[in-house]
């Protein structure tokens, strides 16, 4: 299958290793990955912060860039939630009938990465080996917008050598929330402390999630407080084939 | 006073509360207990989602034909001997109540009512020389400690029983009082009993107004409400116009979802429904004040109208991770938590409380528990849009955030510009990378991030650059060496 990757603006810039891991998993499963170079951002930050007029051109751009692609893979559930929950409303508000029609045909083609694997490609064993103690953090969008349920855990459960430890208060937000983390930095920081506490209780080596946004938030405090646990996007675990300790690929 | 006070925006009001260990423990404990009870009694309902759907449809339908149902209520309530008053705003409502009470009494007993909090009735009564006595235990605690309610259903949620003991010992002059729950309620009971028996006028809110019958419904846990509704000669109820339901049978849905969502009970201990007056039984004079106070303004905004569907159960507050950290006072508003974040600014015509729609990580926990399925995150985003729209032209053009947003959009509208920005970012970040190799201090707005968090620097190569390089060399791709 030909799969178009929407890497998302922040993964492109800050977490290229996640995109590389996604490509690795999909190609290992025999698929071809396209990367439409004109892609940039889904408009989530603008839209959620109240700059809805500014988000509209980004929505148009996204629709154009992915017009010809049948299956679009997004390794970020909050960006998928932006597209799925808001694009139709934005199109209606724009009064542009063509955009409305385009969004209608776009929506069924957009998949979050783990959703693509399990629901579209019908795979839950991607042939990964990852001999580490891991806890899974369910991002709010994966949980309440995409209703991913146990999809990520089914994939992780098939990874060889992995030791999965459940996280307490799984449904509680880590406090990121996009510009919330800056506008309400103190409250966001207090929420983060609660989440870190639960993560530490698992004694996991690695905390994973479907969203690098949450992980960036957690990682920021983990680094500040010099804690032992580290964060990895789920794609990284699913791409791993054992071997060495798999250090973070800072130098791609 | 209709508008919430604008003393401090949410982030500044939250700061001292975040440092208050006692308060945060109280809030954490109380919300945790209620949430667990709620999960249990909601989980046992096989048709919970159907109930939510029904409730949502009842509320939607009611709002669509609100004027009709209100008139129907007025007709039926009047026919049953009640007197209906219409109040456009808080001032009018307070004036009506004071006029009714003034000649009859020097004090009134009150049932817990958020609507009377919203219109600042107690202050208005006191100014008119009428002493209001709160008879709900938690409201009594709040009133005696000159505090503000911090929760819609559990107004003294931020106070624990040791603090209540100290308060009652002082205000009721009970030096021997222990902090056992039984002793505290007994103290309140003894204090209130005389008030119930002596006061000729009671003031209540309303949970539901039934258009079909003209009946008014109140649910409560302590029985103080039943006392107020039956003992005095005169009863004055104050209700927002959003409280109406079309038919008596709609209560079948509402009285299932409300107690389970609010207090985690299958049914409230006291459910009172009364219709007008009955000779020789209960209050012989019944007034109801129907309050608009900008509700019709909310009704006009199709994207925010569902705010009025709220039945004040407080489930969103208990589920909210932001409320959990700060409690209700950070919202500086009668209505706290997620529902307060959308209701308060709208009640103030978006002129106050503008920081409240931003006091959310949009995690969606509120929407998940809302028994009438108000999509609070959607409304929050919509109101953020209205706040941005109504900024003064100067701020919308030259404000730092507005410039940053427009600049980011300009970058995202061209791949070449995005690449350039990524390159510049990699150069510029060197100024901020600390000894640990990570970014430890960012300037301006972004400094909020580095207050408690570091940031891993941008890696030397973006994903798009990697993909491009790899595509150029097909041999590398065929060998599967991607790094």
């Amino acid at each position: 299958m030909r799969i178009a990757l929407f890497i998302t603006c922040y993964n492109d810039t800050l977490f290229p290793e996640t995109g590389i891991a996604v490509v690795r998993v999909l190609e290992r499963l025999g698929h071809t990955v396209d990367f439409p170079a004109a892609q940039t951002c889904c408009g989530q930050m603008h839209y959620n912060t109240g700059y809805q007029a500014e988000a509209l051109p980004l929505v148009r751009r996204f629709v154009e860039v992915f017009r010809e692609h049948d299956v679009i893979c997004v390794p970020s559930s909050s960006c998928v939630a932006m597209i799925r929950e808001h694009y139709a409303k934005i199109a209606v508000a724009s009064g542009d009938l063509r955009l409305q029609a385009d969004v209608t045909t776009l929506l069924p083609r957009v998949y979050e990465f783990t959703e693509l694997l399990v629901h579209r490609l019908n795979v839950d064993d991607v042939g990964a080996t990852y001999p580490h103690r891991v806890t899974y953090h369910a991002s709010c969008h994966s949980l309440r917008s995409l209703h991913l349920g146990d999809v990520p855990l089914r994939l992780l459960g098939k990874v060889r050598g992995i030791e999965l430890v459940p996280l307490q208060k799984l449904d509680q937000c880590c406090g990121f929330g996009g510009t919330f983390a800056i506008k309400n930095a103190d409250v966001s920081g207090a929420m983060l402390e609660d989440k870190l506490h639960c993560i530490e209780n698992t004694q996991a080596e690695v905390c994973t999630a479907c969203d690098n946004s949450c992980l960036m938030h957690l990682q920021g405090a983990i680094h500040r407080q010099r804690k032992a646990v580290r964060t990895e996007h789920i794609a990284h675990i699913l791409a791993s084939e054992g071997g060495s300790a798999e250090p973070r690929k800072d130098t791609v | 006073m209709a508008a919430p006070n604008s003393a401090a925006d949410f982030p500044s009001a939250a700061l001292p509360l975040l440092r208050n260990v006692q308060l945060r423990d109280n809030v954490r404990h109380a919300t945790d207990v209620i949430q667990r009870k709620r999960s249990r009694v909601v989980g046992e309902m096989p048709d919970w989602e159907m109930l939510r759907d029904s409730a949502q449809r009842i509320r939607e339908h009611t709002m669509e034909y609100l004027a009709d149902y209100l008139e129907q209520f007025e007709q039926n309530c009047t026919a049953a001997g009640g007197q209906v008053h219409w109040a456009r705003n808080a001032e009018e409502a307070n004036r009506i109540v004071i006029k009714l009470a003034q000649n009859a009494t020097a004090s009134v007993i009150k049932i817990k009512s958020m609507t009377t909090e919203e219109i600042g009735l107690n202050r208005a009564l006191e100014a008119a020389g009428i002493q209001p006595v709160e008879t709900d235990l938690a409201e009594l605690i709040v009133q005696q400690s000159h505090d503000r309610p911090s929760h819609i259903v559990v107004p003294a949620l931020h106070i624990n029983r040791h603090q209540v003991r100290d308060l009652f010992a002082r205000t009721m002059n009970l030096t021997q009082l222990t902090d056992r729950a039984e002793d505290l309620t007994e103290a309140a009971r003894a204090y209130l009993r005389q008030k119930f028996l002596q006061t000729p006028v009671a003031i209540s809110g309303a949970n539901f107004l039934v258009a079909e019958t003209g009946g008014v419904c109140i649910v409560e846990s302590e029985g103080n409400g039943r006392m107020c509704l039956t003992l005095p000669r005169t009863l004055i109820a104050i209700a927002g116009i959003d409280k109406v339901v079309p038919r008596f049978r709609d209560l079948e849905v509402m009285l299932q979802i409300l107690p389970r969502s609010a207090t985690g009970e299958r049914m409230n201990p006291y459910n009172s429904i009364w219709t007008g007056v009955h000779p020789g039984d209960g209050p012989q004079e019944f007034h109801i004040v129907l309050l608009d106070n900008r509700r019709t303004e909310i009704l006009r905004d199709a994207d925010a109208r569902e705010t009025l569907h709220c039945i004040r159960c407080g489930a969103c507050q208990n589920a909210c991770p932001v409320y959990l950290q700060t409690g209700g006072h950070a919202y500086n508003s009668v209505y706290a938590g997620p529902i307060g974040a959308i209701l308060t600014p709208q009640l103030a015509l978006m002129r106050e409380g503008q920081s409240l729609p931003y006091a959310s990580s949009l995690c969606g926990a509120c929407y998940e528990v809302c028994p009438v399925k108000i999509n609070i995150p959607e409304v929050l985003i919509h109101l953020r849009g209205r706040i941005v729209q109504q900024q003064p032209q100067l701020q919308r053009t030259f404000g730092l955030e507005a410039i940053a947003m427009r600049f980011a959009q300009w970058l995202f509208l061209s791949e070449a510009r995005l690449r350039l920005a990524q390159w510049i970012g990699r150069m510029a970040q060197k100024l901020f990378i600390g000894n640990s190799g990570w970014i430890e201090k960012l300037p301006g707005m972004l400094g909020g991030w580095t207050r408690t968090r570091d940031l891993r620097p941008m890696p030397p190569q973006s994903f798009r650059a990697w993909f491009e390089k790899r595509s150029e060399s097909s041999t590398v791709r065929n060998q599967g060496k991607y790094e």
Side-chain angles (χ1 to χ4, degrees):
Chain A
M1 189 184 287
R2 291 196 80 92
I3 297 167
L5 176 62
F6 172 53
I7 183 66
T8 79
C9 60
Y10 73 100
N11 279 326
D12 180 27
T13 309
L14 296 169
F15 302 98
E17 69 272 17
T18 297
I20 294 167
V22 169
V23 171
R24 219 157 123 189
V25 172
L26 294 177
E27 290 188 347
R28 194 166 67 207
L29 295 171
H31 304 287
T32 307
V33 178
D34 293 321
F35 182 80
Q39 64 175 278
T40 54
C41 168
C42 67
Q44 181 185 193
M45 177 183 73
H46 289 90
Y47 189 79
N48 281 356
T49 311
Y51 292 82
Q52 278 118 22
E54 284 78 1
L56 178 61
L58 298 172
V59 173
R60 289 188 191 281
R61 185 182 175 92
F62 187 95
V63 168
E64 277 318 311
V65 169
F66 288 96
R67 181 180 291 284
E68 303 301 328
H69 297 276
D70 294 331
V71 176
I72 303 155
C73 170
V74 188
S76 164
S77 43
S78 74
C79 301
V80 176
M82 166 67 190
I83 295 165
R84 233 174 247 176
E85 296 190 325
H86 303 305
Y87 269 29
K89 194 174 169 179
I90 295 169
V92 169
S94 75
D96 180 343
L97 292 176
R98 184 155 171 264
L99 183 63
Q100 288 175 40
D102 285 345
V103 167
T104 308
T105 61
L106 169 77
L107 295 187
R109 295 184 278 129
V110 177
Y111 296 87
E112 185 277 332
F113 171 59
T114 62
E115 191 180 50
L116 174 76
L117 291 172
V118 173
H119 287 160
R120 175 71 202 241
L121 305 177
N122 299 314
V123 187
D124 53 13
D125 186 348
V126 296
T129 302
Y130 194 72
H132 298 286
R133 188 176 165 92
V134 174
T135 193
Y136 170 73
H137 159 71
S139 72
C140 297
H141 285 107
S142 72
L143 202 63
R144 300 195 186 90
S145 296
L146 309 191
H147 304 285
L148 285 187
D150 65 347
V151 162
L153 288 168
R154 269 161 68 186
L155 290 160
L156 290 171
K158 298 282 183 182
V159 173
R160 283 145 201 84
I162 199 168
E163 185 193 351
L164 275 174
V165 209
L167 185 63
Q168 278 180 339
K169 298 185 184 173
L170 185 68
D171 58 356
Q172 199 164 298
C173 176
C174 73
F176 175 65
T179 47
F180 173 79
I182 294 169
K183 283 177 183 279
N184 279 286
D186 298 297
V187 178
S188 165
M191 291 159 75
L192 176 57
E193 276 307 304
D194 278 3
K195 186 56 72 181
L196 268 188
H197 183 71
C198 293
I199 291 172
E200 281 204 294
N201 280 347
T202 65
Q203 297 184 313
E205 296 163 67
V206 174
C207 175
T208 192
C210 297
D211 288 74
N212 272 328
S213 46
C214 308
L215 293 178
M216 172 173 75
H217 190 230
L218 293 165
Q219 182 193 54
I222 289 168
H223 189 267
R224 171 70 55 93
Q225 300 174 26
R226 307 289 184 262
K227 296 203 185 289
V229 62
R230 64 179 202 277
T231 57
E232 295 286 4
H233 191 278
I234 192 166
H236 178 79
I237 293 177
L238 299 180
S240 296
E241 295 173 51
S244 63
E246 301 259 345
R248 184 176 276 292
K249 283 140 201 84
D250 278 353
T251 48
V252 267
Chain B
M1 200 205 78
N5 76 62
S6 55
D9 64 1
F10 185 86
S12 351
L15 207 53
L17 299 167
L18 288 171
R19 296 194 185 112
N20 188 335
V21 179
Q22 174 74 74
L23 175 130
R24 289 180 70 191
D25 275 355
N26 296 349
V27 174
R28 190 175 298 266
H29 175 73
T31 52
D32 195 46
V33 168
I34 307 172
Q35 281 238 84
R36 261 186 285 139
K37 282 174 71 183
R38 179 202 166 270
S39 308
R40 202 165 53 232
V41 298
V42 163
E44 71 188 17
M45 299 287 278
D47 59 347
W48 182 252
E49 287 308 316
M50 283 167 65
L51 278 168
R52 287 179 80 209
D53 288 337
S54 303
Q56 183 186 30
R57 279 202 297 274
I58 291 170
R59 300 299 284 151
E60 264 169 13
H61 171 85
T62 309
M63 291 310 144
E64 201 167 330
Y65 300 98
L66 187 59
D68 298 335
Y69 286 123
L70 285 169
E71 282 178 12
Q72 198 186 344
F73 173 81
E74 179 182 35
Q75 230 164 43
N76 291 326
C77 181
T78 310
Q83 297 182 48
V84 179
H85 308 260
W86 299 86
R88 262 172 302 207
N89 52 38
E91 291 72 24
E92 278 189 19
N94 288 335
R95 214 180 309 134
I96 292 166
V97 175
I98 289 166
K99 204 172 159 200
L100 292 171
Q102 213 152 30
N103 296 324
T105 184
S107 75
V108 295
I109 43 176
K110 280 190 71 206
I111 309 181
K112 178 181 151 25
S113 149
M114 291 307 289
T115 310
T116 61
E117 292 285 343
E118 176 188 324
I119 61 175
L121 179 65
N122 285 6
R123 275 191 306 277
L125 285 169
E126 280 165 7
I130 303 165
Q131 176 58 39
V133 180
E134 295 289 352
T135 64
D136 172 87
L137 179 58
E139 285 289 356
L140 180 67
I141 293 165
V142 168
Q143 187 181 35
Q144 296 216 336
S145 53
H146 306 288
D147 203 347
R148 293 173 294 158
S150 71
H151 189 282
I152 290 175
V153 176
V154 196
L157 175 132
H158 57 293
I159 300 170
N160 68 21
R161 61 194 161 90
H162 314 296
Q163 294 166 299
V164 176
R165 191 267 322 272
D166 295 344
L167 173 73
F168 281 180
R170 199 173 66 240
T171 56
M172 297 176 188
N173 210 6
L174 301 168
T175 44
Q176 303 299 311
L177 190 62
T178 76
D179 59 9
R180 282 177 57 224
E182 293 83 350
D183 293 344
L184 296 174
T185 47
E186 184 57 34
R189 187 171 182 269
Y191 172 83
L192 289 170
R193 186 53 52 117
Q194 286 310 308
K195 312 276 182 196
F196 287 132
L197 293 171
Q198 289 165 357
T199 313
V201 178
I203 293 177
S204 83
N207 288 105
F208 303 104
L209 312 173
V210 184
E212 183 181 49
T213 62
V216 181
C217 172
I218 279 193
V219 299
E220 40 127 4
S221 303
E222 296 168 14
N224 65 301
R226 184 64 61 78
M227 294 280 200
C228 292
L229 299 176
T230 51
L231 287 172
R233 205 177 51 77
T234 303
L235 173 61
I236 306 167
I238 298 155
I241 53 172
D242 50 319
K243 290 292 178 72
V244 71
V245 292
R247 303 165 302 180
F248 189 79
R249 58 180 287 198
D250 295 327
L251 293 180
E252 182 227 328
V253 175
M254 296 303 167
L255 294 185
Q256 287 190 76
I257 56 164
L258 177 56
R260 285 175 200 262
S261 302
T263 48
E265 291 166 306
R266 297 187 177 92
M267 193 179 180
N268 284 95
Y270 293 88
N271 297 269
S272 305
I273 305 171
W274 72 96
T275 310
V277 293
H278 299 271
D281 182 16
Q284 293 303 294
E285 207 180 298
F286 170 57
H287 299 271
I288 177 141
V289 181
L290 297 176
L291 175 76
D292 181 350
N293 209 24
R294 281 91 181 248
R295 282 164 176 76
T296 44
E297 288 292 326
I298 300 177
L299 204 57
R300 272 159 41 153
D301 182 350
D303 291 315
R305 172 188 278 202
E306 59 181 313
T307 309
L308 294 178
H309 296 181
C310 176
I311 55 170
R312 309 284 188 267
C313 73
C316 61
Q317 302 183 315
N318 304 325
C320 178
V322 172
Y323 181 94
L324 171 70
Q325 299 298 338
T326 63
H329 290 164
Y331 295 78
N332 256 322
S333 133
V334 169
Y335 304 103
I339 187 64
I342 59 172
L343 182 57
T344 301
Q346 293 189 81
L347 287 177
L349 300 177
M350 305 304 288
R351 288 188 203 120
E352 291 178 42
Q354 287 108 331
S355 67
L356 296 183
Y358 290 95
S360 165
S361 64
L362 303 178
C363 82
C366 47
Y367 179 31
E368 194 174 51
V369 297
C370 178
V372 293
K373 295 181 82 166
I374 302 172
N375 193 334
I376 296 179
E378 280 279 335
V379 180
L380 285 167
I381 293 171
H382 169 70
L383 295 179
R384 290 175 182 189
R386 280 182 63 184
I387 289 162
V388 169
Q389 285 295 313
Q390 68 170 30
Q391 278 171 355
Q393 195 56 44
L394 211 64
Q395 200 179 338
R396 284 189 64 195
T397 316
F398 302 108
L400 214 54
E401 184 186 277
I403 289 176
M405 286 291 173
R406 278 201 307 274
F407 183 64
Q409 187 220 39
W410 181 75
L411 294 177
F412 287 142
L413 285 176
S414 144
E415 191 217 341
R417 289 198 290 263
L418 176 58
R419 278 169 180 275
L420 183 65
Q422 286 172 334
W423 183 82
I424 293 171
R426 278 193 292 271
M427 296 300 122
Q429 70 179 355
K430 288 176 183 156
L431 296 168
F432 302 102
I433 294 175
N435 292 331
S436 68
W438 284 39
I439 295 165
E440 293 166 356
K441 198 162 171 54
L442 282 166
M445 284 190 293
L446 299 173
W449 182 273
T450 46
R451 210 175 299 164
T452 51
R453 294 153 288 220
D454 292 338
L455 186 64
R456 195 185 71 164
M458 287 162 64
Q461 194 180 34
S462 68
F463 175 79
R464 66 180 66 237
W466 172 84
F467 196 92
E468 200 171 50
K469 215 175 276 178
R470 166 180 178 269
S471 306
E472 280 164 9
S473 144
S474 58
T475 33
V476 173
R477 184 169 65 229
N478 291 339
Q479 288 166 4
K481 288 177 186 166
Y482 307 125
E483 291 155 36

